Amino acid sequence: MAKHDLTSPLLPYQPSKQPELVLTVDENPGCESTHQRISNRNDNHHGNNHTHVEFCNPFAFLGAGDFAVPAATTLDPFRNHTVKIEGVYEWVKIVVCLPVALVRLVIFGVCLVVGFVATKLALQGWNDKHNPMPRWRCNVMWVTRLCTRCILFAFGYHWIKRKGRPAPREIAPIVVSNHVSYIEPIFFFYELFPTIVASESHDSLPFVGTIIRAMQVIYVNRFLPSSRKYAVQEIKRKASCDRFPRVLLFPEGTTTNGRVLISFQLGAFIHGYPIQPVIVRYPHVHFDQSWGHISLAKLMFRMFTQFHNFMEVEYLPVISPLENRKENAVHFAERTSHAIAAALNVVQTSHSYGDLMLLTRASQSKQEKVSNYMVEMAKMEASFQMSTMEAVEFLDKFLSMNPDPSGCVKIHDFLKVLRLKACTLSEKIFGFIDVEKNGKITFRQFLFGSANVMKQPLFRQACELAFAGCDTSGKNYVSEGELGDSIRPAIPDLNKDEIHELFNLLDTDSDGRVSKDDFITGLRKNPLLIALFSPRLLQKDFNSAGDRILEEIV
């Protein structure tokens, strides 16, 4: 038997007529290299064909590795399933109910005016809005409450099925409910006359703004942290005082179609008061009553032209914070949402009001598949600390890339919007986003890729160091010439017009020069452009103030 050492093959080489494919992976930092060797051997000819394809990560210097884009969910929580009037039955019903609809419209108008007058009377001379409404004024509001019940009758809710009972105010000072239509606030106004948390925009609504003011509404601007903080403080103040009505919140923050339960906002759960969940259902066959992606006027018309609209309200058992351990607001909200979802027998998703904003913006731009632009914003906020407004700005940029009917963008339009010329680095940037490597990107890929770059701990430091490298004159602003000198190591053959385009992209205040704030803001809006400064960032010729940051990056 022949002796073998560790370097000799165990099996002798056998010539074969079959092609051979040998893959050798060379793991270099930031690059994935694949060498394909195809050797065709036969009795008369021996040859080798070598193909080398290399994909480099242009953001490896930040520590940003490959990222995964979660698959898009097939659920659309904002879709109204009967936007179009379909079927002979529905058309006949609408024609038959048109005279009834006119009567209902008159009843609706009369009740709204009477309720408005009663509310004005109840609010007349009352300036101390900080304290609970006096009892006699609350008694006057009963006129408005009865008017709201007549309004529900006019909308076709002749009877409303109830299950369970409201818990006493001293046991559950806060009530939360799923939100499907504008009908629930009208119902709860009549049923509970609570204090509600509502958007600031509701105050300017004709008639309605005055009526909800009598509920001692807590106004909130969801996009202002100071407003949200004030709303949380007001929830605590009013929930802790028995003289105020119970506080009603719709923690989903917007209306859905009732077939799923989207993520909860935490305002109702922060202070740890016992909460009574309430679920509202709208059983239907031919007419979906949800206020999803449908206009208010069309939804009201459809309601007026139904024989009867069904509504069911169920009061669930009170949920209290756990006594054996201190429970945070997130866990408290999760327990409450699970209870509501189980009672409704629906699934929970991570969509939020931000997804509705993305959906609306895509619809306004006439995109064919608007549901492709939802990203489950609650996950984005938790994973990348990205706000809704930032996501909307990224969507605007993506829409300017002229996506095709399927919602995909090719490299030419991608580079055009980012003011990049076709080159090796530009292709690497696009390849970083193109996780499926099919030559086109979706909005989800664009958003997740941009967020993945921005979330890197070194991103802010890299932006500051890049600005320091550009500001060679030390004037605390960057000129077009300095910008061109800084990015030419990455793209050597840039001309003046191309540099001017990039300069305008970073000049966020359009004053003709790029300050440090402009520079960092511009890169936050276009985080993929940080790759243009990578050659300079990896050089070690900066001053000592940048050496520490440079060492962290390297």
Side-chain angles (χ1 to χ4, degrees):
M1 182 176 178
K3 294 183 180 180
H4 297 283
D5 57 25
L6 293 178
T7 60
S8 62
L10 295 178
L11 297 175
Y13 170 75
Q14 298 290 338
S16 173
K17 296 181 179 181
Q18 299 296 325
E20 295 180 5
L21 176 65
V22 180
L23 298 180
T24 304
V25 179
D26 180 18
E27 296 182 357
N28 293 324
C31 295
E32 179 182 343
S33 301
T34 302
H35 300 265
Q36 297 182 348
R37 284 182 182 171
I38 303 175
S39 302
N40 296 315
R41 297 185 178 93
N42 51 44
D43 295 335
N44 299 321
H45 175 71
H46 290 237
N48 291 326
N49 181 17
H50 300 272
T51 302
H52 176 241
V53 182
E54 182 175 342
F55 300 100
C56 286
N57 177 1
F59 305 100
F61 72 98
L62 291 176
D66 293 338
F67 64 98
V69 179
T73 176
T74 58
L75 297 174
D76 183 352
F78 310 109
R79 179 190 173 194
N80 183 295
H81 288 76
T82 59
V83 174
K84 296 181 179 179
I85 303 173
E86 297 178 345
V88 176
Y89 173 76
E90 273 299 295
W91 281 107
V92 170
K93 181 171 59 176
I94 289 175
V95 172
V96 170
C97 289
L98 277 177
V100 179
L102 294 176
V103 175
R104 288 175 170 175
L105 183 60
V106 172
I107 295 174
F108 169 78
V110 171
C111 291
L112 188 62
V113 171
V114 172
F116 174 76
V117 172
T119 303
K120 292 290 286 186
L121 179 61
L123 295 177
Q124 187 67 32
W126 183 46
N127 299 318
D128 188 12
K129 302 293 193 304
H130 190 73
N131 291 316
M133 179 180 284
R135 182 170 297 276
W136 74 267
R137 295 182 185 273
C138 292
N139 292 336
V140 174
M141 286 302 299
W142 264 107
V143 176
T144 307
R145 295 174 68 176
L146 292 174
C147 287
T148 57
R149 183 60 187 94
C150 293
I151 288 175
L152 290 174
F153 187 89
F155 277 123
Y157 299 95
H158 306 126
W159 63 85
I160 297 173
K161 182 179 179 181
R162 294 174 178 82
K163 183 178 180 181
R165 300 182 63 181
R169 198 273 183 215
E170 57 271 16
I171 294 178
I174 297 178
V175 175
V176 297
S177 171
N178 63 313
H179 201 5
V180 180
S181 180
Y182 60 85
I183 295 298
E184 298 106 48
I186 300 175
F187 170 80
F188 286 120
F189 181 90
Y190 164 71
E191 181 94 343
L192 303 175
F193 191 54
T195 292
I196 65 170
V197 179
S199 172
E200 289 179 346
S201 60
H202 292 169
D203 187 63
S204 58
L205 294 176
F207 298 102
V208 176
T210 300
I211 293 175
I212 65 174
R213 226 171 288 146
M215 302 171 71
Q216 297 187 270
V217 61
I218 300 172
Y219 287 120
V220 61
N221 184 332
R222 69 181 82 218
F223 302 116
L224 290 179
S226 59
S227 178
R228 296 198 302 269
K229 182 178 180 180
Y230 172 77
V232 170
Q233 294 172 346
E234 283 295 285
I235 291 171
K236 178 182 180 180
R237 185 176 73 87
K238 294 185 176 181
S240 62
C241 179
D242 289 338
R243 292 188 299 148
F244 280 105
R246 52 174 61 87
V247 180
L248 169 68
L249 296 99
F250 299 102
E252 291 173 288
T254 186
T255 55
T256 69
N257 57 19
R259 303 188 180 204
V260 299
L261 195 70
I262 65 175
S263 61
F264 275 15
Q265 304 298 311
L266 301 180
F269 310 95
I270 291 176
H271 300 296
Y273 290 105
I275 287 175
Q276 182 171 34
V278 184
I279 61 173
V280 181
R281 304 184 186 91
Y282 297 90
H284 66 276
V285 176
H286 301 285
F287 168 50
D288 183 356
Q289 302 156 59
S290 65
W291 192 10
H293 203 54
I294 184 174
S295 67
L296 177 60
K298 187 172 185 178
L299 187 61
M300 291 178 65
F301 172 77
R302 295 291 302 278
M303 285 185 175
F304 282 141
T305 54
Q306 302 294 312
F307 294 126
H308 174 75
N309 290 311
F310 291 91
M311 180 179 182
E312 298 176 357
V313 179
E314 181 179 353
Y315 293 92
L316 301 180
V318 174
I319 299 178
S320 299
L322 299 178
E323 296 180 358
N324 57 343
R325 62 185 178 88
K326 189 174 181 180
E327 185 176 34
N328 61 34
V330 174
H331 188 261
F332 193 11
E334 288 177 351
R335 287 199 299 126
T336 306
S337 64
H338 290 166
I340 293 178
L344 287 169
N345 193 27
V346 299
V347 299
Q348 295 178 260
T349 72
S350 296
H351 293 92
S352 71
Y353 177 75
D355 289 285
L356 180 60
M357 291 186 63
L358 296 174
L359 186 79
T360 303
R361 189 62 61 92
S363 177
Q364 291 172 347
S365 66
K366 309 300 182 183
Q367 298 301 307
E368 292 188 12
K369 297 181 179 180
V370 294
S371 60
N372 289 346
Y373 294 89
M374 293 187 296
V375 296
E376 295 190 90
M377 271 304 301
K379 283 184 180 178
M380 289 295 300
E381 292 173 0
S383 301
F384 300 104
Q385 291 75 52
M386 175 175 286
S387 69
T388 295
M389 297 309 299
E390 286 178 318
V392 171
E393 289 181 0
F394 278 110
L395 176 58
D396 288 338
K397 188 172 294 292
F398 184 83
L399 293 176
S400 67
M401 297 177 187
N402 192 29
D404 62 26
S406 65
C408 295
V409 166
K410 294 185 178 180
I411 187 170
H412 171 75
D413 295 310
F414 173 83
L415 299 181
K416 182 179 179 181
V417 170
L418 290 186
R419 311 296 196 270
L420 295 173
K421 69 180 303 179
C423 64
T424 302
L425 178 60
S426 300
E427 292 174 357
K428 290 177 181 179
I429 294 174
F430 184 82
F432 177 77
I433 301 295
D434 180 17
V435 294
E436 297 180 0
K437 307 305 177 188
N438 57 7
K440 54 187 179 181
I441 60 173
T442 64
F443 172 64
R444 291 176 68 87
Q445 293 170 346
F446 178 65
L447 185 65
F448 272 81
S450 299
N452 186 51
V453 172
M454 276 201 307
K455 82 164 187 177
Q456 300 303 319
L458 296 178
F459 177 74
R460 171 81 185 192
Q461 298 173 343
C463 292
E464 294 176 352
L465 190 57
F467 177 80
C470 293
D471 182 21
T472 56
S473 62
K475 297 179 179 179
N476 291 322
Y477 66 84
V478 175
S479 65
E480 281 193 38
E482 290 173 327
L483 179 65
D485 293 339
S486 294
I487 60 180
R488 278 199 177 95
I491 307 179
D493 54 346
L494 280 176
N495 58 43
K496 290 184 178 181
D497 291 337
E498 292 164 341
I499 294 174
H500 180 71
E501 290 292 327
L502 284 168
F503 183 84
N504 288 338
L505 202 62
L506 296 177
D507 185 14
T508 54
D509 57 5
S510 302
D511 63 352
R513 61 184 187 178
V514 177
S515 65
K516 184 176 182 179
D517 288 340
D518 290 339
F519 192 85
I520 293 176
T521 300
L523 287 179
R524 280 195 61 85
K525 291 182 177 181
N526 305 274
L528 302 178
L529 295 184
I530 190 65
L532 299 179
F533 304 93
S534 57
R536 295 295 297 271
L537 289 173
L538 295 174
Q539 292 176 358
K540 295 187 177 181
D541 57 356
F542 289 107
N543 57 35
S544 58
D547 286 343
R548 180 181 57 82
I549 300 175
L550 184 61
E551 289 174 2
E552 293 182 21
I553 294 177
V554 175

